[in-house]
Amino acid sequence: MGKELTIVDVARHARVSPTTVSNFLNGRDAEMRPETKARVRRSIDELGYRPNLVARRLRTGRASMIGLIVPSVANPFWGSWARVLEAHALDHGYQVFLCNSERNPGRERRYAEELWANGVDTVVLSTSLPSLEHLSEVMVSGLRVIAFDRESQPDDPPTLSSVSVDNVLGARLATRHLIELGHKRIGFISGAIATVSRRRRLAGYREELESAHLSYDPELVWTDSGYGDAESALVGNRGMGALLRLPQPPTAVVTINDMYALGACAAIRDAGLDVPGVSVVGFDDVVLAKLWSPPLTTIHQPLDKMAKFILDAVCNRAQDDEQRDKSSVMQPHLVIRDSTSPPPLARTLASSRSQDGAGRGTDV
Amino acid sequence: MGKELTIVDVARHARVSPTTVSNFLNGRDAEMRPETKARVRRSIDELGYRPNLVARRLRTGRASMIGLIVPSVANPFWGSWARVLEAHALDHGYQVFLCNSERNPGRERRYAEELWANGVDTVVLSTSLPSLEHLSEVMVSGLRVIAFDRESQPDDPPTLSSVSVDNVLGARLATRHLIELGHKRIGFISGAIATVSRRRRLAGYREELESAHLSYDPELVWTDSGYGDAESALVGNRGMGALLRLPQPPTAVVTINDMYALGACAAIRDAGLDVPGVSVVGFDDVVLAKLWSPPLTTIHQPLDKMAKFILDAVCNRAQDDEQRDKSSVMQPHLVIRDSTSPPPLARTLASSRSQDGAGRGTDV
DNA sequence: CTGTTAGCGCCTTCAT
DNA sequence: ATGAAGGCGCTAACAG
């Protein structure tokens, strides 16, 4: 590992001064004699020189890296999000530093500080926690945080930006779809309602129910105690199992994300029923959703657009730091696939008209 | 963002010299007067000082970070692997820098160089590509690479270490299980056989078949042209579809990884059959495997043990650089779940005795 | 036991 | 159009 090459070696080789090499490296080559320029270039790749980014960073202050904190890349949704953001970042000359926090404030804080200490000056925080207290210290130091999947809150620090889908709308779309199909008893499955986005999804579900004059029945809302990021499918599975064991089980269910939905599907089959005999709608539209059988109806998040927004923000930083649209809420949309269908007629009748034992009725 | 604090500020505040602070920070506090030590400590957290890691890195050479290159975290297996390695790394005071290469040598190279330029001196390469040519330059510079999921090859550079499961064995276990259940026509599904591990898995499948005196039928081996890392399930789906359309379709199938297996399951259902009516065995044992319905029989990889091996290697670097066991191949094991069962009797008879149109036979 | 000193590799005024 | 000099924040000899 014989001694890294430095800018001085290149300079010597090219018979110029270090400054010239530096100028060349940093695009300050407008008024440079073409011949010199060529010589420098040649020396650089003849020697196989690569600038030491650490030194550069120390000198110039901060790095061209952005941090990304997610709950857990073991969950395909976060994995995809990481991929998308990385792709955009690379296009803009940024690297992304990926961290898994399990939504643990302590770890988030540790990561944020580590990132900051490493010269990373902006981090995309994707854990949706309502409070950002634990990061306030690093934020006043200068770390810029952009929240993902966390609609901005009344008392957020002014330096915080955010990108998110309209979660209320998403949940409403999901619920409405089920209502329009004729479902009356619609369940809701989630892990701990302890993030901004989950709260809002639950709110959307409830609002839509009420605006359709269906009563909101807490019994139909199954909620776990943990976040269940790594094993969401398992949690969804348990939740659906519980809902199915109710005296009057739901005929359809909205879940907080696709992995929960997949777990729910499995529970339905395990109970001897089938999907869409019991309808399921997910949230996120992960790749697996369309490959599932039956393919999962879900709410799509425009990850690509969101990543683009973030990179715009990262790049146009210095110029108009003042009130540019720092936050953005995007439109999710419903993707209808085969995991949803009208409720079985018999059951619909049975639950709408109280007494109707033999009501197998006409098959429309 | 008022000017970062430096070691000098702390020194002034504690009325000691910068060196003392540095000594304290780096554990050279054995022979330090307790009183001084306490004063330094107090100043540090009173001021909220955090050392600038970039400067430290420039000074000391390299960083306490390890790079991890995987095909794509959008694939749950790689996501889990990243999580596991990160957890171990954190325990040892290392951060993990995660990169997605799509198994593209160009990107791998770019990442490796970037990592190296950033002071990262060891990278865990998880892309299994047979050739490491594209990294040879950075490797002679001093970058240490540890291959994951890539059993060491005859002409590997001597500085390369590796950890992997015994892929031949894994595939043999999978195939043998199916053979023992009574299957005679066993398919094999994979993306491009262009990685070391895939080659070996295919070899294992073939060996086991032959050692059971079942002929190896190329028609039953379905192989895609791409790697299909991000959408493996889709590829597996196509593959199984094709196999099922054969004049004499297989009654069971071994797949290169769990996502392919899940896709295959979907294809089986779409064809109006069911699992384990047609048996499927995967590879990797991702979380989803046990949540699937039916739960997937698969080959488990001991990720935890592998991560531990890597961190041992990373930590015990300097001391015995000479011939320590630099490479390790671990034992995978078969996890039997419900996606495999004996072949339907009728079909078995039909395919073993040539003529037997009406052989619906006794139902055991 | 603690302080002084000299860089790590690069960028950036300021001269030339 | 190019060069010389100083310093980013930290560590590690080496003195005292």
Side-chain angles (χ1 to χ4, degrees):
Chain A
M1 109 169 57
K3 212 98 247 343
E4 271 343 279
L5 268 74
T6 81
I7 208 173
V8 180
D9 299 313
V10 178
R12 201 152 36 216
H13 182 104
R15 318 197 129 283
V16 294
S17 84
T19 311
T20 305
V21 180
S22 172
N23 285 337
F24 174 83
L25 251 27
N26 296 57
R28 271 184 299 279
D29 56 356
E31 351 201 307
M32 212 161 124
R33 206 188 303 156
E35 180 217 317
T36 318
K37 195 148 73 176
R39 220 166 56 239
V40 174
R41 196 200 325 279
R42 266 199 43 234
S43 298
I44 286 181
D45 43 44
E46 208 160 285
L47 260 38
Y49 165 78
R50 319 248 0 152
N52 178 326
L53 266 24
V54 178
R56 176 179 297 175
R57 193 136 92 235
L58 175 57
R59 178 61 234 244
T60 59
R62 332 244 85 253
S64 55
M65 292 201 291
I66 95 185
L68 171 61
I69 301 181
V70 298
S72 168
V73 281
N75 179 317
F77 174 66
W78 297 117
S80 300
W81 169 232
R83 283 288 299 109
V84 172
L85 191 68
E86 184 197 43
H88 282 261
L90 253 29
D91 284 350
H92 292 254
Y94 284 83
Q95 295 268 113
V96 1
F97 201 119
L98 184 49
C99 317
N100 299 96
S101 77
E102 310 292 351
R103 294 190 147 107
N104 173 334
R107 293 190 53 169
E108 277 185 25
R109 188 196 151 117
R110 174 177 167 189
Y111 269 130
E113 285 174 348
E114 194 96 8
L115 251 14
W116 176 248
N118 270 299
V120 174
D121 63 351
T122 109
V123 6
V124 177
L125 182 68
S126 312
T127 54
S128 325
L129 260 19
S131 162
L132 260 33
E133 280 287 309
H134 52 117
L135 300 183
S136 61
E137 222 176 290
V138 219
M139 284 180 77
V140 306
S141 295
L143 182 70
R144 176 201 207 188
V145 1
I146 304 180
F148 170 86
D149 188 44
R150 180 186 176 287
E151 289 142 294
S152 55
Q153 300 293 287
D155 52 342
D156 278 344
T159 64
L160 182 77
S161 341
S162 66
V163 213
S164 171
V165 115
D166 181 338
N167 283 300
V168 171
L169 176 59
R172 291 191 74 149
L173 290 173
T175 312
R176 184 179 313 160
H177 170 61
L178 259 10
I179 293 174
E180 282 170 353
L181 286 173
H183 291 275
K184 307 283 186 214
R185 285 184 71 71
I186 301 173
F188 185 89
I189 296 180
S190 172
I193 305 287
T195 67
V196 171
S197 59
R198 288 177 182 186
R199 280 185 195 162
R200 304 207 26 124
R201 288 177 195 181
L202 178 55
Y205 156 82
R206 186 168 185 167
E207 282 177 21
E208 190 63 29
L209 238 37
E210 290 173 348
S211 87
H213 306 293
L214 290 174
S215 67
Y216 167 79
D217 181 354
E219 209 183 37
L220 292 180
V221 174
W222 188 90
T223 269
D224 196 33
S225 53
Y227 291 110
D229 288 304
E231 65 310 306
S232 324
L234 223 183
V235 182
N237 193 274
R238 286 212 308 275
M240 192 70 216
L243 254 26
L244 252 20
R245 263 179 264 110
L246 249 31
Q248 244 194 106
T251 61
V253 66
V254 171
T255 63
I256 209 67
N257 74 221
D258 286 347
M259 300 313 283
Y260 281 75
L262 301 191
C265 289
I268 291 168
R269 288 200 203 96
D270 291 349
L273 303 168
D274 73 297
V275 181
V278 174
S279 295
V280 175
V281 11
F283 208 117
D284 291 346
D285 195 15
V286 302
V287 204
L288 228 44
K290 67 171 79 58
L291 299 171
W292 194 257
S293 51
L296 188 69
T297 294
T298 189
I299 300 296
H300 181 86
Q301 299 211 42
L303 297 187
D304 220 71
K305 237 190 286 182
M306 298 166 104
K308 170 177 282 156
F309 177 88
I310 290 176
L311 271 121
D312 279 358
V314 168
C315 296
N316 305 337
R317 182 196 216 332
Q319 27 231 77
D320 30 19
D321 231 13
E322 297 311 325
Q323 272 16 335
R324 178 191 176 63
D325 39 331
K326 306 190 312 164
S327 296
S328 159
V329 3
M330 311 224 167
Q331 300 301 305
H333 69 263
L334 175 69
V335 182
I336 301 179
R337 293 200 266 249
D338 305 335
S339 69
T340 44
S341 74
L345 189 49
R347 202 187 301 171
T348 318
L349 293 179
S351 65
S352 60
R353 326 185 200 158
S354 270
Q355 326 276 53
D356 197 86
R360 212 110 40 67
T362 33
D363 213 78
V364 181
Chain B
M1 112 169 53
K3 210 99 251 334
E4 269 345 277
L5 271 87
T6 82
I7 208 173
V8 181
D9 299 311
V10 177
R12 201 152 34 213
H13 182 105
R15 318 198 126 283
V16 295
S17 84
T19 309
T20 306
V21 181
S22 172
N23 285 338
F24 174 82
L25 252 26
N26 296 57
R28 272 183 298 277
D29 56 357
E31 350 201 307
M32 212 158 123
R33 206 186 304 156
E35 180 218 316
T36 318
K37 196 148 71 176
R39 219 165 56 240
V40 173
R41 199 201 323 279
R42 267 199 41 235
S43 298
I44 285 180
D45 44 43
E46 208 161 286
L47 262 37
Y49 165 79
R50 319 251 358 155
N52 178 326
L53 267 23
V54 179
R56 174 181 297 174
R57 193 137 90 235
L58 175 59
R59 179 62 233 239
T60 60
R62 334 245 82 253
S64 55
M65 292 200 291
I66 93 183
L68 171 60
I69 301 182
V70 298
S72 168
V73 280
N75 179 320
F77 175 66
W78 296 117
S80 300
W81 169 232
R83 285 288 299 111
V84 173
L85 191 68
E86 183 197 43
H88 283 261
L90 252 32
D91 283 351
H92 292 254
Y94 284 83
Q95 297 266 116
V96 172
F97 200 118
L98 182 50
C99 317
N100 300 95
S101 76
E102 310 294 350
R103 295 190 145 108
N104 173 333
R107 293 189 54 168
E108 276 186 26
R109 187 195 152 121
R110 174 176 166 188
Y111 269 129
E113 285 174 349
E114 194 96 7
L115 251 14
W116 176 248
N118 271 298
V120 173
D121 64 350
T122 109
V123 5
V124 176
L125 183 68
S126 313
T127 54
S128 324
L129 261 18
S131 163
L132 260 32
E133 281 287 309
H134 52 116
L135 299 183
S136 60
E137 222 176 290
V138 220
M139 285 180 77
V140 305
S141 295
L143 182 70
R144 177 201 206 187
V145 1
I146 304 180
F148 169 87
D149 187 45
R150 179 186 177 287
E151 288 143 294
S152 56
Q153 300 293 287
D155 52 342
D156 278 344
T159 65
L160 183 78
S161 340
S162 66
V163 213
S164 172
V165 114
D166 181 337
N167 284 299
V168 171
L169 176 59
R172 291 191 74 148
L173 290 174
T175 312
R176 184 179 313 159
H177 171 60
L178 259 10
I179 293 173
E180 282 170 353
L181 285 173
H183 291 276
K184 306 284 185 213
R185 286 184 70 72
I186 301 173
F188 185 89
I189 296 181
S190 171
I193 305 286
T195 68
V196 171
S197 59
R198 288 176 181 186
R199 279 185 196 163
R200 304 204 29 123
R201 289 179 193 179
L202 178 55
Y205 156 82
R206 186 168 184 166
E207 282 176 21
E208 189 63 28
L209 238 38
E210 289 172 350
S211 86
H213 306 293
L214 289 175
S215 67
Y216 166 80
D217 181 354
E219 207 182 38
L220 291 180
V221 174
W222 188 89
T223 270
D224 196 32
S225 52
Y227 290 111
D229 287 304
E231 64 309 307
S232 325
L234 222 184
V235 181
N237 193 273
R238 283 213 308 276
M240 192 70 214
L243 253 28
L244 252 20
R245 263 178 265 110
L246 248 33
Q248 245 194 108
T251 61
V253 67
V254 171
T255 63
I256 209 68
N257 74 222
D258 286 348
M259 299 312 284
Y260 281 74
L262 300 192
C265 289
I268 290 167
R269 288 199 204 96
D270 291 348
L273 304 167
D274 74 297
V275 181
V278 174
S279 295
V280 175
V281 11
F283 207 117
D284 291 344
D285 194 15
V286 301
V287 203
L288 229 42
K290 68 171 77 60
L291 298 172
W292 195 255
S293 51
L296 188 68
T297 294
T298 189
I299 300 296
H300 181 86
Q301 299 211 42
L303 296 187
D304 220 70
K305 235 189 291 181
M306 298 166 104
K308 171 178 281 157
F309 177 88
I310 289 177
L311 270 121
D312 278 359
V314 169
C315 296
N316 303 339
R317 180 198 218 330
Q319 29 230 75
D320 31 17
D321 231 12
E322 297 311 326
Q323 270 18 333
R324 176 192 178 65
D325 38 333
K326 307 190 312 163
S327 294
S328 161
V329 3
M330 311 224 167
Q331 300 301 304
H333 68 263
L334 176 68
V335 182
I336 301 180
R337 293 200 266 250
D338 305 335
S339 69
T340 45
S341 75
L345 189 51
R347 203 186 302 170
T348 320
L349 294 177
S351 65
S352 59
R353 324 186 199 158
S354 269
Q355 326 277 55
D356 197 84
R360 212 109 41 68
T362 35
D363 213 76
V364 180

